[in-house]
Amino acid sequence: MILVSSCLAGLEVRYDGRHSLDHKISKLIEENKAIPVCPELLGGFSTPREPAEIIGGSGGDVLDGKAKVVEKSGRDVTELCIKGAYTTLNKAKDINATVVVLKENSPSCGSSMIYNGEFIGEKIAGNGVTTALLKRNGLRVISEERFADNFDEII
Ligand code: SF4
């Protein structure tokens, strides 16, 4: 079974109330090969919500208490993101996920790039908080872009 970001499955759970539909992903859901999850909703966020970015590092640093996740207006949402990450990890274990496909660039779900914490649209290399936790626990996490490039090998 594959765990996928809910927004990639077409669910309107993004911070701006929209989705990031990826047809390869939604097809997997239809075929009962994948289950959607939104770490931020599991952490207690609602939709819509303010955009948030990691300040002072990447997802692994957040887990280690060396960086934080902050909304644009300044609210510290680190604990919500960490709660969402652990709940997602439990879900991945429950379904014996073989691979997890998460939305690139998100402070929770990014797996190659995240925004740099200045809210100016600039990205840096790094994992989101959920991705970092899943990888630390031995799960294979890839972005929707890498999933598309490696579809035949993964499915
Ligand atoms: S990127 Fe992750 S946390 Fe953000 S809306 Fe999509 S599934 Fe939820």
Side-chain angles (χ1 to χ4, degrees), residues 39-155:
E40 290 180 3
L41 292 193
L42 290 177
F45 286 93
S46 54
T47 300
R49 54 191 174 276
E50 278 194 44
E53 297 188 7
I54 297 174
I55 294 180
S58 66
D61 299 311
V62 174
L63 294 172
D64 293 337
K66 297 176 185 162
K68 55 189 180 176
V69 190
V70 175
E71 289 184 334
K72 193 169 185 182
S73 65
R75 182 171 77 123
D76 186 331
V77 291
T78 305
E79 289 309 314
L80 294 180
C81 288
I82 291 175
K83 181 181 173 205
Y86 276 94
T87 309
T88 302
L89 173 64
N90 288 338
K91 184 136 187 137
K93 287 179 175 172
D94 285 348
I95 66 165
N96 286 321
T98 50
V99 60
V100 184
V101 185
L102 297 182
K103 175 78 182 73
E104 193 62 281
N105 306 322
S106 150
S108 295
C109 291
S111 59
S112 302
M113 303 294 289
I114 53 173
Y115 287 99
N116 75 351
E118 296 179 28
F119 294 94
I120 55 173
E122 300 237 336
K123 295 171 202 163
I124 55 172
N127 294 309
V129 180
T130 293
T131 300
L133 183 67
L134 298 186
K135 285 183 174 176
R136 281 186 181 183
N137 283 271
L139 286 150
R140 182 182 181 192
V141 183
I142 60 172
S143 68
E144 70 279 18
E145 293 146 14
R146 282 199 50 216
F147 176 68
D149 290 344
N150 296 280
F151 186 79
D152 292 336
E153 175 246 322
I154 294 167
I155 299 300

